[in-house]
Amino acid sequence: RRLEPLPVHRLDQYTSGVFCIATNPAARHHLIEQLKAHTMKREYVAYVQGRSRTPKGTWRQWLQLSKDELRQQVVPETQFRAAGVEAQEAITHYEVIAEYPLAGGKDFVTKLRLRLETGRKHQIRVQAAHAGLPLIGDRTYNPAYRGSGLANAPIDFPRQALHAEVLSLEHPDRPGSQ
């Protein structure tokens, strides 16, 4: 039988881990509906620069994609509603798993578990940076990793430290199962 791999969702470039591909259009439709209904469970592990003020919480912001579609930015709700700016709500639940002090004790790397409720382009990366916790190795949203000289980077890391660890869904051919 000839398989037809059809992407259901994607991972950002340089993010590792699991993602979902359907083998036929009907299965893809079923899986995309799970994403829309927020019943597909997606959990990530990230290593971020800095320390979280709270051990767990929720990031809920409105994100606006740049005109070139390469970056997101957080937009205050009042601003986009008043100006008619196109933005999408992004919701991420986070929990601190561990904190690692760096040499000198001034800076920390924090390991976070993140659960997506929505799935926007660069969602975790832009929300973490907005919270003051940019991802280790993120050359888009962490200023310490921009440019050719990484003198301010706390850890030399070749990509953003983000891994899709859990993907839980209802199988299209077996409703009610996960």
Side-chain angles (χ1 to χ4, degrees):
R1 154 176 164 209
R2 183 185 153 113
L3 293 179
E4 215 181 307
L6 302 166
V8 174
H9 72 101
R10 61 179 211 71
L11 297 176
D12 288 347
Q13 185 177 19
Y14 308 120
T15 296
S16 61
V18 296
F19 64 100
C20 185
I21 293 180
T23 57
N24 63 63
R28 182 173 190 252
H29 175 75
H30 180 83
L31 293 165
I32 287 173
E33 289 304 312
Q34 288 181 57
L35 278 173
K36 287 179 184 175
H38 307 295
T39 58
M40 189 180 287
K41 180 179 171 184
R42 292 169 293 156
E43 287 186 5
Y44 291 73
V45 171
Y47 289 86
V48 299
Q49 186 176 346
R51 294 176 86 180
S52 177
R53 284 174 265 193
T54 58
K56 59 171 54 173
T58 299
W59 295 324
R60 183 184 297 262
Q61 283 109 9
W62 293 88
L63 303 183
Q64 179 184 25
L65 195 56
S66 63
K67 289 187 195 295
D68 62 10
E69 298 186 357
L70 296 176
R71 290 181 58 98
Q72 290 274 22
Q73 69 177 5
V74 173
V75 180
E77 186 173 358
T78 54
Q79 178 185 335
F80 92 82
R81 291 213 189 271
V85 172
E86 281 195 36
Q88 293 184 307
E89 188 174 30
I91 304 168
T92 305
H93 306 282
Y94 70 89
E95 180 180 2
V96 173
I97 302 301
E99 292 177 332
Y100 306 98
L102 296 176
K106 292 181 185 175
D107 206 0
F108 283 79
V109 170
T110 300
K111 181 180 180 182
L112 298 177
R113 176 165 318 283
L114 304 137
R115 185 175 55 80
L116 291 181
E117 196 168 310
T118 57
R120 309 290 177 231
K121 182 176 192 165
H122 300 178
Q123 177 173 322
I124 291 170
R125 296 165 59 201
V126 70
Q127 286 185 310
H130 184 75
L133 301 167
L135 270 67
I136 296 295
D138 191 338
R139 280 145 179 80
T140 302
Y141 299 103
N142 187 338
Y145 289 90
R146 286 197 205 119
S148 56
L150 299 176
N152 295 327
I155 294 175
D156 184 18
F157 202 73
R159 63 176 184 85
Q160 65 260 9
L162 182 61
H163 179 76
E165 187 176 58
V166 175
L167 180 63
S168 177
L169 51 89
E170 180 182 271
H171 192 283
D173 291 338
R174 293 184 217 115
S177 68
Q178 285 200 354

Short mmCIF file of all heavy atoms in Angstrom, two decimals, residues 54-91:
data_model
loop_
_atom_site.label_atom_id
_atom_site.label_comp_id
_atom_site.label_asym_id
_atom_site.label_seq_id
_atom_site.Cartn_x
_atom_site.Cartn_y
_atom_site.Cartn_z
N THR A 54 7.90 32.48 39.50
CA THR A 54 6.94 31.55 40.09
C THR A 54 7.26 30.13 39.61
O THR A 54 7.72 29.94 38.50
CB THR A 54 5.50 31.91 39.68
OG1 THR A 54 5.40 31.91 38.26
CG2 THR A 54 5.10 33.29 40.20
N PRO A 55 6.97 29.13 40.45
CA PRO A 55 7.30 27.75 40.07
C PRO A 55 6.41 27.18 38.96
O PRO A 55 6.78 26.24 38.28
CB PRO A 55 7.13 26.96 41.36
CG PRO A 55 6.25 27.78 42.22
CD PRO A 55 6.48 29.21 41.83
N LYS A 56 5.23 27.75 38.79
CA LYS A 56 4.34 27.31 37.69
C LYS A 56 3.38 28.44 37.38
O LYS A 56 3.16 29.34 38.19
CB LYS A 56 3.60 26.03 38.01
CG LYS A 56 2.72 26.08 39.25
CD LYS A 56 1.81 24.88 39.44
CE LYS A 56 2.49 23.55 39.42
NZ LYS A 56 1.62 22.43 39.76
N GLY A 57 2.81 28.37 36.19
CA GLY A 57 1.87 29.41 35.80
C GLY A 57 1.45 29.25 34.35
O GLY A 57 1.70 28.22 33.72
N THR A 58 0.83 30.30 33.84
CA THR A 58 0.33 30.29 32.46
C THR A 58 0.72 31.60 31.79
O THR A 58 0.54 32.67 32.35
CB THR A 58 -1.21 30.15 32.43
OG1 THR A 58 -1.55 28.91 33.06
CG2 THR A 58 -1.75 30.16 31.02
N TRP A 59 1.27 31.46 30.59
CA TRP A 59 1.52 32.63 29.75
C TRP A 59 0.35 32.73 28.79
O TRP A 59 0.05 31.80 28.04
CB TRP A 59 2.80 32.48 28.96
CG TRP A 59 4.05 32.42 29.80
CD1 TRP A 59 4.30 33.11 30.95
CD2 TRP A 59 5.21 31.63 29.55
NE1 TRP A 59 5.55 32.81 31.43
CE2 TRP A 59 6.14 31.90 30.59
CE3 TRP A 59 5.57 30.74 28.56
CZ2 TRP A 59 7.38 31.30 30.65
CZ3 TRP A 59 6.81 30.14 28.62
CH2 TRP A 59 7.70 30.42 29.65
N ARG A 60 -0.33 33.86 28.81
CA ARG A 60 -1.48 34.10 27.93
C ARG A 60 -1.29 35.47 27.30
O ARG A 60 -1.39 36.48 27.98
CB ARG A 60 -2.77 34.05 28.74
CG ARG A 60 -4.04 34.22 27.93
CD ARG A 60 -5.26 34.26 28.84
NE ARG A 60 -5.44 33.02 29.56
CZ ARG A 60 -6.27 32.04 29.20
NH1 ARG A 60 -7.01 32.16 28.13
NH2 ARG A 60 -6.37 30.95 29.93
N GLN A 61 -0.94 35.47 26.02
CA GLN A 61 -0.70 36.72 25.31
C GLN A 61 -1.31 36.67 23.92
O GLN A 61 -1.72 35.62 23.44
CB GLN A 61 0.81 36.99 25.16
CG GLN A 61 1.48 37.50 26.40
CD GLN A 61 2.39 36.47 27.02
OE1 GLN A 61 2.64 35.42 26.44
NE2 GLN A 61 2.87 36.73 28.21
N TRP A 62 -1.30 37.82 23.28
CA TRP A 62 -1.70 37.94 21.89
C TRP A 62 -0.44 38.13 21.07
O TRP A 62 0.39 38.98 21.39
CB TRP A 62 -2.66 39.11 21.71
CG TRP A 62 -3.96 38.84 22.41
CD1 TRP A 62 -4.27 39.11 23.71
CD2 TRP A 62 -5.09 38.18 21.85
NE1 TRP A 62 -5.53 38.66 23.99
CE2 TRP A 62 -6.07 38.10 22.87
CE3 TRP A 62 -5.39 37.67 20.60
CZ2 TRP A 62 -7.32 37.51 22.67
CZ3 TRP A 62 -6.64 37.09 20.40
CH2 TRP A 62 -7.57 37.02 21.42
N LEU A 63 -0.27 37.31 20.03
CA LEU A 63 0.92 37.34 19.20
C LEU A 63 0.59 37.86 17.81
O LEU A 63 -0.43 37.49 17.23
CB LEU A 63 1.54 35.94 19.08
CG LEU A 63 1.91 35.23 20.37
CD1 LEU A 63 2.58 33.90 20.05
CD2 LEU A 63 2.79 36.09 21.25
N GLN A 64 1.49 38.71 17.32
CA GLN A 64 1.35 39.25 15.97
C GLN A 64 2.56 38.82 15.16
O GLN A 64 3.70 39.03 15.57
CB GLN A 64 1.25 40.77 16.02
CG GLN A 64 1.13 41.39 14.65
CD GLN A 64 1.15 42.91 14.72
OE1 GLN A 64 1.68 43.50 15.65
NE2 GLN A 64 0.56 43.54 13.73
N LEU A 65 2.30 38.25 14.00
CA LEU A 65 3.35 37.80 13.10
C LEU A 65 3.87 39.00 12.29
O LEU A 65 3.07 39.82 11.83
CB LEU A 65 2.79 36.72 12.16
CG LEU A 65 3.74 35.86 11.36
CD1 LEU A 65 4.74 35.14 12.27
CD2 LEU A 65 2.97 34.86 10.53
N SER A 66 5.18 39.10 12.14
CA SER A 66 5.76 40.20 11.37
C SER A 66 5.34 40.08 9.90
O SER A 66 4.92 39.01 9.46
CB SER A 66 7.29 40.18 11.49
OG SER A 66 7.81 38.98 10.94
N LYS A 67 5.49 41.17 9.16
CA LYS A 67 5.09 41.17 7.74
C LYS A 67 5.84 40.12 6.94
O LYS A 67 5.27 39.51 6.04
CB LYS A 67 5.30 42.55 7.13
CG LYS A 67 4.33 43.59 7.63
CD LYS A 67 4.49 44.88 6.85
CE LYS A 67 3.84 46.06 7.50
NZ LYS A 67 2.46 46.11 7.64
N ASP A 68 7.11 39.89 7.27
CA ASP A 68 7.89 38.87 6.55
C ASP A 68 7.64 37.46 7.08
O ASP A 68 8.21 36.50 6.59
CB ASP A 68 9.38 39.20 6.56
CG ASP A 68 9.97 39.24 7.97
OD1 ASP A 68 9.30 38.83 8.94
OD2 ASP A 68 11.13 39.68 8.08
N GLU A 69 6.79 37.36 8.13
CA GLU A 69 6.38 36.09 8.76
C GLU A 69 7.55 35.31 9.37
O GLU A 69 7.47 34.10 9.52
CB GLU A 69 5.60 35.22 7.76
CG GLU A 69 4.32 35.88 7.30
CD GLU A 69 3.47 34.99 6.42
OE1 GLU A 69 3.87 33.86 6.10
OE2 GLU A 69 2.37 35.45 6.05
N LEU A 70 8.61 36.01 9.76
CA LEU A 70 9.77 35.35 10.35
C LEU A 70 9.83 35.47 11.86
O LEU A 70 10.58 34.75 12.51
CB LEU A 70 11.07 35.91 9.74
CG LEU A 70 11.25 35.66 8.24
CD1 LEU A 70 12.52 36.34 7.75
CD2 LEU A 70 11.28 34.17 7.94
N ARG A 71 9.08 36.42 12.44
CA ARG A 71 9.12 36.66 13.89
C ARG A 71 7.72 36.93 14.41
O ARG A 71 6.87 37.44 13.68
CB ARG A 71 9.97 37.89 14.22
CG ARG A 71 11.44 37.71 14.01
CD ARG A 71 12.17 38.98 14.40
NE ARG A 71 11.93 39.39 15.77
CZ ARG A 71 12.72 39.13 16.78
NH1 ARG A 71 13.82 38.47 16.59
NH2 ARG A 71 12.44 39.54 18.00
N GLN A 72 7.53 36.62 15.68
CA GLN A 72 6.30 36.99 16.38
C GLN A 72 6.64 38.10 17.36
O GLN A 72 7.78 38.23 17.80
CB GLN A 72 5.74 35.80 17.18
CG GLN A 72 5.17 34.69 16.37
CD GLN A 72 3.71 34.91 16.00
OE1 GLN A 72 3.20 36.01 15.99
NE2 GLN A 72 3.04 33.83 15.66
N GLN A 73 5.63 38.87 17.74
CA GLN A 73 5.80 39.80 18.85
C GLN A 73 4.54 39.78 19.70
O GLN A 73 3.45 39.52 19.20
CB GLN A 73 6.11 41.21 18.36
CG GLN A 73 4.96 41.91 17.66
CD GLN A 73 5.33 43.33 17.27
OE1 GLN A 73 6.46 43.76 17.44
NE2 GLN A 73 4.37 44.05 16.76
N VAL A 74 4.74 40.03 20.99
CA VAL A 74 3.61 40.10 21.91
C VAL A 74 2.97 41.48 21.76
O VAL A 74 3.67 42.50 21.76
CB VAL A 74 4.07 39.86 23.36
CG1 VAL A 74 2.94 40.10 24.34
CG2 VAL A 74 4.63 38.45 23.51
N VAL A 75 1.64 41.48 21.61
CA VAL A 75 0.90 42.73 21.44
C VAL A 75 -0.09 42.85 22.59
O VAL A 75 -0.85 41.90 22.84
CB VAL A 75 0.12 42.72 20.09
CG1 VAL A 75 -0.66 43.99 19.90
CG2 VAL A 75 1.07 42.49 18.94
N PRO A 76 -0.11 43.99 23.30
CA PRO A 76 -1.12 44.16 24.35
C PRO A 76 -2.53 44.08 23.76
O PRO A 76 -2.78 44.60 22.67
CB PRO A 76 -0.84 45.57 24.89
CG PRO A 76 0.55 45.88 24.46
CD PRO A 76 0.79 45.13 23.19
N GLU A 77 -3.43 43.42 24.49
CA GLU A 77 -4.79 43.20 23.99
C GLU A 77 -5.47 44.53 23.64
O GLU A 77 -6.13 44.64 22.61
CB GLU A 77 -5.62 42.44 25.02
CG GLU A 77 -6.99 42.07 24.53
CD GLU A 77 -7.75 41.16 25.48
OE1 GLU A 77 -7.18 40.78 26.52
OE2 GLU A 77 -8.90 40.85 25.17
N THR A 78 -5.29 45.53 24.47
CA THR A 78 -5.93 46.84 24.20
C THR A 78 -5.42 47.44 22.90
O THR A 78 -6.18 48.04 22.16
CB THR A 78 -5.66 47.81 25.37
OG1 THR A 78 -4.25 47.87 25.59
CG2 THR A 78 -6.36 47.38 26.63
N GLN A 79 -4.14 47.26 22.60
CA GLN A 79 -3.56 47.83 21.39
C GLN A 79 -4.12 47.18 20.13
O GLN A 79 -4.52 47.86 19.20
CB GLN A 79 -2.04 47.66 21.41
CG GLN A 79 -1.36 48.18 20.15
CD GLN A 79 0.13 47.89 20.15
OE1 GLN A 79 0.74 47.75 21.19
NE2 GLN A 79 0.71 47.81 18.97
N PHE A 80 -4.18 45.85 20.10
CA PHE A 80 -4.64 45.23 18.86
C PHE A 80 -6.15 45.37 18.68
O PHE A 80 -6.64 45.49 17.56
CB PHE A 80 -4.18 43.76 18.75
CG PHE A 80 -5.12 42.73 19.29
CD1 PHE A 80 -6.18 42.27 18.53
CD2 PHE A 80 -4.93 42.21 20.55
CE1 PHE A 80 -7.03 41.31 19.03
CE2 PHE A 80 -5.78 41.26 21.05
CZ PHE A 80 -6.84 40.81 20.30
N ARG A 81 -6.91 45.41 19.76
CA ARG A 81 -8.37 45.60 19.63
C ARG A 81 -8.69 47.00 19.15
O ARG A 81 -9.56 47.19 18.32
CB ARG A 81 -9.05 45.31 20.97
CG ARG A 81 -9.01 43.85 21.37
CD ARG A 81 -10.25 43.45 22.14
NE ARG A 81 -10.12 42.13 22.71
CZ ARG A 81 -10.47 41.01 22.08
NH1 ARG A 81 -10.95 41.05 20.87
NH2 ARG A 81 -10.33 39.84 22.67
N ALA A 82 -7.99 48.01 19.67
CA ALA A 82 -8.25 49.40 19.29
C ALA A 82 -7.79 49.70 17.87
O ALA A 82 -8.44 50.43 17.15
CB ALA A 82 -7.56 50.34 20.28
N ALA A 83 -6.65 49.14 17.48
CA ALA A 83 -6.07 49.48 16.19
C ALA A 83 -6.46 48.51 15.08
O ALA A 83 -6.07 48.69 13.93
CB ALA A 83 -4.55 49.51 16.32
N GLY A 84 -7.20 47.47 15.41
CA GLY A 84 -7.57 46.49 14.39
C GLY A 84 -6.40 45.64 13.94
O GLY A 84 -6.40 45.12 12.83
N VAL A 85 -5.39 45.50 14.77
CA VAL A 85 -4.21 44.70 14.45
C VAL A 85 -4.60 43.22 14.47
O VAL A 85 -5.34 42.79 15.34
CB VAL A 85 -3.09 44.98 15.49
CG1 VAL A 85 -1.93 44.03 15.30
CG2 VAL A 85 -2.64 46.41 15.40
N GLU A 86 -4.08 42.47 13.51
CA GLU A 86 -4.34 41.03 13.51
C GLU A 86 -3.40 40.34 14.48
O GLU A 86 -2.19 40.48 14.37
CB GLU A 86 -4.14 40.45 12.11
CG GLU A 86 -5.31 40.70 11.19
CD GLU A 86 -5.25 39.82 9.96
OE1 GLU A 86 -4.81 38.65 10.06
OE2 GLU A 86 -5.64 40.32 8.90
N ALA A 87 -3.97 39.65 15.44
CA ALA A 87 -3.17 38.92 16.42
C ALA A 87 -3.94 37.66 16.81
O ALA A 87 -5.16 37.60 16.67
CB ALA A 87 -2.91 39.80 17.65
N GLN A 88 -3.19 36.67 17.30
CA GLN A 88 -3.80 35.41 17.74
C GLN A 88 -3.43 35.16 19.19
O GLN A 88 -2.28 35.40 19.59
CB GLN A 88 -3.32 34.25 16.88
CG GLN A 88 -3.79 34.32 15.44
CD GLN A 88 -3.35 33.08 14.68
OE1 GLN A 88 -2.18 32.74 14.67
NE2 GLN A 88 -4.30 32.40 14.07
N GLU A 89 -4.39 34.64 19.94
CA GLU A 89 -4.12 34.33 21.34
C GLU A 89 -3.22 33.10 21.44
O GLU A 89 -3.39 32.13 20.70
CB GLU A 89 -5.42 34.08 22.10
CG GLU A 89 -5.20 33.96 23.58
CD GLU A 89 -6.49 33.85 24.37
OE1 GLU A 89 -7.49 33.33 23.83
OE2 GLU A 89 -6.49 34.29 25.53
N ALA A 90 -2.27 33.17 22.35
CA ALA A 90 -1.34 32.07 22.59
C ALA A 90 -1.35 31.75 24.08
O ALA A 90 -1.18 32.64 24.91
CB ALA A 90 0.06 32.45 22.14
N ILE A 91 -1.57 30.46 24.41
CA ILE A 91 -1.64 30.04 25.81
C ILE A 91 -0.67 28.89 26.03
O ILE A 91 -0.75 27.85 25.35
CB ILE A 91 -3.07 29.60 26.19
CG1 ILE A 91 -4.06 30.73 25.90
CG2 ILE A 91 -3.13 29.18 27.65
CD1 ILE A 91 -5.52 30.30 25.96
#
